[in-house]
Amino acid sequence: MSTPVLAVVGHPNKGKSSIVATLAHDLSVRIAPEPGTTIRSRRYPMKVDGRVLYELVDTPGFQRARRALAWMREHETTAAQHAAVVSRFVETHRPSGEFEDECALLEPIAQGAGILYVVDGSKPYGPEYEAEMEILRWTGRPRMALVNPIGAADHIEEWQAALKQYFGIVRVFNAMSANFTKQVELLRAFGQLDESWTKRFDEAVRALEADRRERHRLAARAIAETMAEMIVLVVSQSVSREADPTRAEQALERRYLDELRSLENRGRLAVERIYDHGGMNRRETAFELLEHDLFAEESWSLWGLTPTQLALTGALGGAAAGGGIDLAVGGASLMLASLIGATVGAAAAWFGSDRIAEVKIAGVLPLGGKRFTVGPSRNVNLPYVILGRALHHQRLVALRTHAHRDPLDVPPPDTTRAWIDELPSTRRRALERCFTRLRKEQDSGPAVDALAAQLEALSGEVDAVR
Ligand SMILES: Nc1nc2c(ncn2[C@@H]2O[C@H](COP(=O)(O)OP(=O)(O)OP(=O)(O)O)[C@@H](O)[C@H]2O)c(=O)[nH]1
Ligand SMILES: [Mg+2]
């Protein structure tokens, strides 16, 4: 069985390369707002274990479809000869460079590729597309039309009415926003184009799904490893007798918070690489929105557990029993706050930065100075804030198609606190047990494994959305 090849063709600037990038998960595909970005055909094989399951060919857009069709009509004899005339067109014009774009896009089709014809469903249909579609019909190859709505206007119905006359299958497929389920559905539809392709595309779907599960697993592990480092982080500093201890304490606190932030950022980069988005930029201003700082009050009310949830999870009980937090003052008022139903915002101050970094004196130095340390944080809510932010970022990255060339734009989530409020309490308690183990156990390996296992299910939930 020969490898199915699909040539992605159409008018210039309609999102052909964007569709290739999305399906091939490839950031190296050239995409730009100007027409004429793709100037020669390029193949993108989908490989599993070294074996190519199918190939996409990105092509330049039609430039002179009417003239090309006119040539073909002049050389036409019978309908049975149409495909041969298209091949002759390519052979005749290839050497001279005339009809360069038409030759580049028709060549793979003449060699046996199927056709994916891409149009922009946000622009009105017009007869100028008919020469292109007629040429493609002449090739007699299996073909599907993809309506990619680039803008907001909706001309999809009129497009469908026209496209159905030329293409066996017509689908709407948005290159920028197609989620994993939509990509899988499209692959299955490719398998319907030609009977001899069905098995191959079923195989491709299975391979893609296995690959996706593996990436979610790796992302869960990367998040668990980052959390482990953040939870046990300690920084220390020796301060001489002459130095101002208050300033030294403040500097050490800042260093501790900076190191937490930089660990968080490292975790994010790892997750971006896992989903093959390693090369992208981040929009700083927008990034700050998500990043609106780990220690900002909004972060705590958005990502952390409420006082009641903390109490139900056992986080407070466990920490208090272990002498982890001082319940005498803050704890009592916290409990009171939860009892009288105080808002999370009000409680956030208590949960917030003042209790994350607490400077302790680790020892007195021989010549009189002191050794200060900060960390590990005893703040019971910190792991939940870190985890909420990590899962939000992972979701944005996992759902981002490879057609995007703009920096990662990361707004706060639409549904405030959804992640944690929707977590079943059994899972919350399981997470809490993992956090406690991370704080207590010398060898963090088994606790990281346990946390990664808990996070795997959460990490895969991004694909549950249809
Ligand atoms: N918003 C949005 N923009 C899109 C979509 N698909 C493509 N674009 C944009 O449209 C422009 C053209 O996309 P390309 O994928 O380069 O189009 P093309 O058909 O390969 O263009 P040529 O190679 O020049 O023929 C780029 O700026 C894309 O970012 C989409 O689904 N939504
Ligand atoms: Mg292109």
Side-chain angles (χ1 to χ4, degrees):
M1 184 170 49
S2 62
T3 304
V5 180
L6 287 165
V8 184
V9 301
H11 229 57
N13 220 31
K14 299 299 175 195
K16 301 181 293 299
S17 300
S18 301
I19 286 179
V20 172
T22 292
L23 293 176
H25 298 179
D26 193 330
L27 285 179
S28 77
V29 181
R30 282 202 64 212
I31 293 170
E34 310 77 38
T37 301
T38 307
I39 48 175
R40 55 183 64 87
S41 295
R42 188 175 145 196
R43 290 177 175 251
Y44 296 88
M46 179 186 157
K47 280 192 203 153
V48 174
D49 299 331
R51 183 166 154 248
V52 179
L53 292 179
Y54 75 98
E55 257 183 42
L56 291 173
V57 190
D58 190 17
T59 70
F62 279 100
Q63 293 291 345
R64 296 194 295 155
R66 276 191 204 159
R67 298 264 308 272
L69 183 62
W71 186 97
M72 291 174 197
R73 287 214 164 110
E74 276 168 28
H75 296 78
E76 156 180 30
T77 49
T78 64
Q81 294 304 312
H82 279 169
V85 174
V86 176
S87 294
R88 193 131 60 83
F89 172 86
V90 176
E91 284 157 24
T92 309
H93 297 97
R94 204 46 166 154
S96 67
E98 205 195 343
F99 291 110
E100 196 175 1
D101 296 312
E102 279 72 18
C103 287
L105 75 95
L106 289 172
E107 195 164 41
I109 302 171
Q111 290 166 356
I115 296 165
L116 296 179
Y117 180 66
V118 180
V119 302
D120 177 0
S122 66
K123 298 265 164 58
Y125 172 74
E128 66 271 26
Y129 298 93
E130 281 163 17
E132 299 174 3
M133 296 194 290
E134 185 66 0
I135 293 172
L136 297 174
R137 195 158 67 94
W138 276 36
T139 67
R141 298 299 304 150
R143 55 196 178 278
M144 179 188 301
L146 294 178
V147 185
N148 174 34
I150 292 185
D154 183 352
H155 295 276
I156 295 176
E157 252 180 55
E158 58 184 282
W159 270 108
Q160 280 172 326
L163 291 166
K164 272 187 207 150
Q165 300 170 49
Y166 295 88
F167 298 89
I169 303 180
V170 179
R171 288 277 170 119
V172 177
F173 185 80
N174 189 317
M176 292 293 231
S177 64
N179 61 25
F180 186 73
T181 309
K182 295 240 161 55
Q183 295 174 37
V184 164
E185 281 169 4
L186 191 61
L187 280 200
R188 287 195 204 285
F190 292 168
Q192 304 305 309
L193 277 175
D194 189 304
E195 253 181 25
S196 69
W197 290 355
T198 314
K199 251 182 78 188
R200 268 302 175 90
F201 279 106
D202 283 347
E203 233 181 292
V205 165
R206 279 196 300 278
L208 196 67
E209 286 172 339
D211 172 84
R212 184 77 171 167
R213 279 193 298 276
E214 177 62 5
R215 285 177 207 263
H216 292 329
R217 194 186 67 76
L218 290 172
R221 169 148 287 275
I223 294 171
E225 283 170 358
T226 305
M227 289 196 72
E229 284 189 75
M230 292 174 80
I231 287 173
V232 301
L233 178 71
V234 181
V235 295
S236 55
Q237 172 88 42
S238 298
V239 180
S240 68
R241 201 166 34 182
E242 296 77 36
D244 174 353
T246 311
R247 283 182 61 181
E249 282 187 21
Q250 285 168 349
L252 193 59
E253 263 185 55
R254 269 200 308 279
R255 210 180 101 204
Y256 175 76
L257 298 181
D258 282 347
E259 287 203 20
L260 278 182
R261 289 186 185 104
S262 102
L263 285 171
E264 183 183 61
N265 190 47
R266 223 175 63 199
R268 294 222 157 109
L269 290 171
V271 166
E272 287 162 12
R273 274 195 300 275
I274 286 166
Y275 290 101
D276 283 341
H277 281 295
M280 77 182 168
N281 297 314
R282 292 201 195 108
R283 181 157 25 225
E284 281 309 316
T285 51
F287 195 55
E288 277 162 17
L289 271 178
L290 171 74
E291 302 296 295
H292 64 70
D293 191 54
L294 179 53
F295 307 110
E297 188 173 321
E298 301 94 293
S299 283
W300 288 74
S301 53
L302 194 59
W303 305 114
L305 290 181
T306 63
T308 316
Q309 284 170 335
L310 276 176
L312 291 176
T313 303
L316 299 176
I325 61 168
D326 172 15
L327 272 180
V329 184
S333 57
L334 163 75
M335 286 309 185
L336 196 59
S338 77
L339 283 176
I340 59 173
T343 62
V344 185
W350 193 89
F351 288 173
S353 54
D354 51 347
R355 289 231 153 210
I356 296 170
E358 212 175 305
V359 180
K360 283 166 284 183
I361 298 167
V364 179
L365 301 175
L367 294 176
K370 287 177 186 150
R371 184 148 187 89
F372 289 145
T373 70
V374 178
S377 176
R378 296 189 302 182
N379 188 297
V380 289
N381 220 354
L382 182 64
Y384 295 94
V385 176
I386 297 170
L387 178 58
R389 289 163 53 84
L391 289 174
H392 178 56
H393 169 263
Q394 179 253 348
R395 183 186 179 81
L396 291 170
V397 174
L399 289 176
R400 177 175 163 102
T401 71
H402 293 77
H404 286 265
R405 292 295 179 274
D406 49 337
L408 176 67
D409 189 10
V410 265
D414 309 335
T415 41
T416 315
R417 300 182 47 79
W419 88 277
I420 207 143
D421 291 339
E422 280 168 16
L423 274 187
S425 54
T426 46
R427 192 174 288 282
R428 266 187 231 149
R429 277 197 293 274
L431 286 172
E432 182 56 36
R433 280 195 297 275
C434 293
F435 299 151
T436 308
R437 287 182 62 186
L438 283 174
R439 286 190 198 100
K440 287 188 180 156
E441 292 174 14
Q442 280 289 332
D443 171 13
S444 67
V448 171
D449 291 345
L451 180 58
Q454 287 295 327
L455 297 186
E456 205 174 319
L458 294 178
S459 152
E461 273 172 19
V462 292
D463 294 330
V465 203
R466 285 187 65 85

